[in-house]
Amino acid sequence: MTTEPAAPATGSTTPDVLGMQIAHRVILRDLDRTTGVAMAMADGGVPITARRTRMLVRYLELMAESIHHHHQAEDDILWPVIVERAGAHVDLTPLTEDHDALLPLLDRMRGGALAFQATPSRQSAAALAARLVELRSLLSEHIAEEERATFPVIRRYLSVADWRDVEARIRRNARMSFELPRIGAAVTPPELAALKADAGAAIVLMLALFRPAYRRMERAIWG
């Protein structure tokens, strides 16, 4: 049975999808940066040290966890709300199929990271870079299609209350010690101010708490 769409959201009731846009930007930024350092190690331009190896593999573990959480939350939380509100006005099948295709690529990337950790070398760094490139290729196309297909529907059919509930539920199981400093490093000052104003004082305090450890990890990997 087709669900009838709710009345379109208009005016001040239009959800602000900035948080989702930033989450997508952070994913692609991380894939660009980790691919870059893996390629640089493969080329011999960046030294393969024990500390860099350890921190990069840990970063990739956290990044893979974050990507999986993001897309699982879309399947379990966001997609059902969109279907309930928009009915036949959106087809999420291609996006769900992308999510299914993502899982083996994440596993391949994790395997490449573990192989690099076990035997750090220019060859294993090159293999890891190749796994990151294929992961980035899928996600760049998927994110572009997702934003094209869903953002207009979210703005039109979901209420602000719907969207706030979705965002809160997605954040509930996220590893904020990793997510928050990544976001803080990727946004513009006006975007950060908007996020802080929306999320409240607790997020500001957590960002200040988690940022130093994240920066140490960044320096160990990228210098």
Side-chain angles (χ1 to χ4, degrees), residues 47-60:
I48 302 174
T49 65
R51 178 168 169 76
R52 174 171 281 123
T53 297
R54 184 173 66 256
M55 289 295 101
L56 175 59
V57 171
R58 178 56 178 159
Y59 198 97
L60 291 172

Side-chain angles (χ1 to χ4, degrees), residues 114-172:
L114 292 175
F116 173 65
Q117 185 175 42
T119 311
S121 67
R122 292 176 63 175
Q123 290 74 23
S124 59
L128 173 58
R131 301 290 80 77
L132 286 163
V133 167
E134 67 180 1
L135 181 59
R136 208 253 186 229
S137 178
L138 171 66
L139 282 172
S140 62
E141 293 180 8
H142 169 74
I143 285 171
E145 176 59 19
E146 181 181 308
E147 294 188 354
R148 185 200 65 77
T150 67
F151 281 7
V153 173
I154 290 168
R155 293 185 179 110
R156 182 169 176 81
Y157 291 104
L158 271 63
S159 69
V160 170
D162 289 333
W163 186 243
R164 286 185 180 278
D165 179 64
V166 165
E167 290 191 309
R169 290 166 64 196
I170 289 175
R171 284 195 298 266
R172 199 166 294 154

Side-chain angles (χ1 to χ4, degrees), residues 70-146:
H70 177 86
H71 292 92
Q72 190 68 52
E74 288 177 341
D75 286 336
D76 295 345
I77 298 171
L78 178 55
W79 288 180
V81 175
I82 290 178
V83 170
E84 180 180 357
R85 294 291 186 258
H89 290 259
V90 63
D91 179 10
L92 299 173
T93 303
L95 300 178
T96 301
E97 290 174 350
D98 281 353
H99 289 179
D100 292 339
L102 174 63
L103 292 176
L105 293 189
L106 282 174
D107 286 342
R108 281 166 60 82
M109 188 277 287
R110 288 188 183 104
L114 292 175
F116 173 65
Q117 185 175 42
T119 311
S121 67
R122 292 176 63 175
Q123 290 74 23
S124 59
L128 173 58
R131 301 290 80 77
L132 286 163
V133 167
E134 67 180 1
L135 181 59
R136 208 253 186 229
S137 178
L138 171 66
L139 282 172
S140 62
E141 293 180 8
H142 169 74
I143 285 171
E145 176 59 19
E146 181 181 308

